[in-house]
């Protein structure tokens, strides 16, 4: 199988840098790049110190992954570099992740990482090497149409990663290549097996690579101990229902772990007030959101008023309108939280996105209208 990397010149004189996490996706990208006849260089980020990395088996950019990436490069006969970005990753992603939780928000660390070390810094490194492009294993499509370059969802909806890449700039997109955007994961694994790669059957890494056991609360408590302070559980009507063992254990929309009894209906986390150490809970109807204030907008396409928006990576896009500051949902949306990304689409085409900083309850809007 051959993929056109759109190098703009004969491959024999071109250079492709491949961002290699040590997983099957980026390894297959290196295989496809090598088949073009261009010089290929694999680059892996070391995001943890050596001792920590060795213990993080199964997470992205850990010790085993670096070894796997090097083994793939050796098999393909291409150069492999390891860049120590542990300090940048800690301050740009992990510390920001902890800070967001300390403010009662729900962060999206994969978007932070892609907008920082994985794109900004890697693209800079690739350009310093004189590369014609940087290729990654993301499942999105780079489409050249009518004289411009656009980002589209991955062809396989179960693998699409465009939600996490809304912060990509037009200049970055012009330099990036996504060879897997048209493939299902099954085909990627078949290509890995065909190439005899040791990672052909390697499990996918978890989304939050620095929380490989899924216990994000322990990490946040260690970095921001104040989030573990106990406080009150308060109903949206003002009643104090009980107590909790730290706001770090909760996110908006959560139902499990709210240990108060004798309530006539299930309760959900509606709001988190870290300063007062209060967990505000209510019925599911209290989660309904009419609109969201969105900041830090990045547009890859034209600024549109009528959009299809996703506020969670696995959610279906919903209809909404954009006025330049606020996303208003055509119908109330549930589980929308400050800190999440709001990403705008037109069909499969990614328009842009930003960070939700404030939400407007549907009940409040209805009360004002009445």
């Amino acid at each position: 199988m051959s993929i056109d990397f759109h190098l703009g010149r004969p491959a024999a004189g071109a250079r492709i840098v491949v961002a290699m996490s040590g997983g099957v996706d980026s390894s297959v990208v290196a295989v496809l790049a090598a088949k073009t006849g261009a010089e290929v260089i694999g680059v892996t980020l070391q995001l943890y110190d050596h001792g920590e990395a060795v213990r993080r088996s199964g997470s992205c950019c850990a010790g085993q992954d670096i070894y796997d990436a090097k083994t793939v490069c050796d098999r393909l006969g291409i150069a492999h570099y390891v860049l120590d970005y542990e300090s940048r990753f800690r301050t740009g992603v992990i510390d920001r992740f902890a800070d967001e939780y300390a403010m009662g928000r729900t962060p999206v660390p994969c978007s932070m990482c892609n907008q920082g070390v994985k794109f900004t810094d890697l693209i800079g490194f690739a350009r310093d090497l004189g590369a014609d492009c940087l290729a990654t294993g993301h499942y999105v499509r780079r489409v050249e149409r009518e004289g411009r370059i656009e980002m589209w969802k991955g062809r396989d909806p179960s693998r699409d990663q465009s939600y996490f890449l809304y912060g990509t700039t037009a200049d970055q997109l012009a330099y990036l290549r996504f060879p897997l955007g048209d493939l299902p994961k099954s085909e990627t694994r078949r290509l890995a097996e065909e190439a005899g790669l040791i990672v052909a059957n390697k499990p996918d890494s978890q989304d939050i690579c620095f929380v490989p056991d899924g216990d994000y609360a322990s990490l946040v408590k260690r970095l921001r101990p104040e989030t573990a302070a106990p406080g009150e559980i308060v109903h949206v009507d003002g009643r104090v229902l009980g107590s909790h063992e730290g706001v770090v254990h909760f996110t908006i929309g959560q139902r499990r772990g709210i240990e108060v009894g004798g309530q006539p209906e299930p309760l959900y986390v509606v709001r988190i007030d870290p300063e007062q150490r209060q967990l505000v809970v209510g019925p599911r109807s209290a989660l309904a959101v009419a609109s969201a204030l969105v900041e830090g907008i990045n547009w890859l396409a034209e600024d549109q008023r009528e959009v299809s928006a996703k506020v969670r990576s696995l959610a279906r896009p919903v209809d909404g309108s954009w006025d330049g500051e606020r996303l208003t949902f055509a119908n109330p949306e549930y589980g929308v939280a400050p800190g999440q990304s709001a990403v705008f689409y037109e069909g499969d085409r990614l328009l842009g996105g930003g960070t939700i900083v404030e939400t407007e309850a549907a009940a409040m809007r209805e009360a004002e209208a009445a």
Side-chain angles (χ1 to χ4, degrees):
M1 180 179 185
S2 62
I3 295 286
D4 186 355
F5 279 72
H6 300 279
L7 299 173
R9 60 169 171 159
R15 176 178 291 168
I16 300 172
V17 168
V18 178
M20 300 187 67
S21 67
V24 63
D25 298 327
S26 57
S27 296
V28 169
V29 170
V31 171
L32 296 174
K35 286 184 177 180
T36 66
E39 178 189 4
V40 180
I41 299 173
V43 180
T44 303
L45 301 180
Q46 179 179 307
L47 302 182
Y48 315 97
D49 63 51
H50 178 70
E52 184 74 3
V54 169
R55 291 191 293 273
R56 288 182 180 268
S57 177
S59 62
C60 173
C61 307
Q64 182 63 46
D65 298 296
I66 293 172
Y67 172 81
D68 289 344
K70 181 182 184 304
T71 302
V72 169
C73 288
D74 287 346
R75 178 172 182 81
L76 297 176
I78 64 176
H80 179 241
Y81 291 91
V82 177
L83 305 182
D84 182 359
Y85 276 24
E86 188 244 341
S87 177
R88 294 194 189 198
F89 186 73
R90 184 179 63 249
T91 58
V93 179
I94 297 178
D95 284 348
R96 283 180 60 194
F97 177 83
D99 287 339
E100 289 285 288
Y101 265 105
M103 292 188 290
R105 292 155 61 102
T106 304
V108 184
C110 294
S111 295
M112 297 178 191
C113 187
N114 287 324
Q115 293 172 38
V117 295
K118 280 193 177 176
F119 276 4
T120 302
D121 294 336
L122 265 182
I123 286 176
F125 180 78
R127 283 181 164 149
D128 286 344
L129 289 179
D132 295 82
C133 65
L134 172 69
T136 81
H138 290 99
Y139 285 85
V140 295
R141 287 177 285 165
R142 178 185 180 276
V143 177
E144 297 187 25
R145 191 175 66 143
E146 298 177 355
R148 65 184 180 189
I149 302 174
E150 302 170 341
M151 184 183 293
W152 287 46
K153 294 178 183 177
R155 185 82 65 184
D156 181 351
S158 68
R159 301 300 305 175
D160 171 53
Q161 294 172 300
S162 60
Y163 178 82
F164 301 111
L165 301 181
Y166 76 85
T168 307
T169 66
D171 180 64
Q172 290 173 338
L173 186 57
Y175 191 70
L176 289 163
R177 301 294 186 272
F178 307 109
L180 306 184
D182 284 306
L183 304 182
K185 184 62 176 257
S186 58
E187 177 64 9
T188 301
R189 290 202 182 276
R190 188 194 68 78
L191 290 171
E193 291 176 355
E194 184 181 86
L197 303 185
I198 63 169
V199 296
N201 296 307
K202 185 176 181 178
D204 293 335
S205 61
Q206 299 184 27
D207 283 345
I208 304 181
C209 62
F210 53 89
V211 192
D213 57 2
D215 185 10
Y216 73 88
S218 294
L219 171 71
V220 176
K221 284 191 291 185
R222 177 167 57 84
L223 297 176
R224 304 292 182 266
E226 67 274 15
T227 62
E232 295 178 331
I233 299 177
V234 182
H235 195 277
V236 289
D237 63 13
R239 291 177 292 135
V240 177
L241 302 180
S243 62
H244 62 81
E245 296 182 354
V247 295
V248 68
H249 298 288
F250 301 93
T251 57
I252 290 176
Q254 182 174 329
R255 179 179 171 184
R256 296 179 61 184
I258 304 173
E259 297 179 357
V260 293
Q263 302 304 309
E265 57 186 336
L267 296 177
Y268 299 80
V269 177
V270 175
R271 189 171 66 255
I272 298 172
D273 187 337
E275 290 187 3
Q276 300 297 320
R277 302 201 301 273
Q278 282 188 344
L279 195 68
V280 181
V281 300
R284 186 175 185 276
S285 60
L287 287 173
V289 167
S291 69
L293 182 66
V294 184
E295 294 183 351
I297 287 287
N298 176 66
W299 288 106
L300 264 175
E302 64 276 10
D303 182 342
Q304 294 195 17
R305 294 306 183 226
E306 300 302 317
V307 297
S308 182
K310 290 179 68 169
V311 295
R312 293 175 301 280
S313 63
L314 298 179
R316 290 180 177 273
V318 296
D319 292 336
S321 59
W322 170 251
D323 66 5
E325 292 185 349
R326 187 170 288 275
L327 168 65
T328 300
F329 300 103
N331 298 295
E333 184 71 3
Y334 291 80
V336 185
Q340 291 174 326
S341 300
V343 182
F344 307 141
Y345 296 87
E346 181 187 60
D348 282 350
R349 184 167 65 114
L350 188 146
L351 302 175
T355 302
I356 296 170
V357 296
E358 179 185 291
T359 60
E360 177 193 21
M364 183 176 296
R365 170 167 288 195
E366 291 170 1
E368 291 175 352

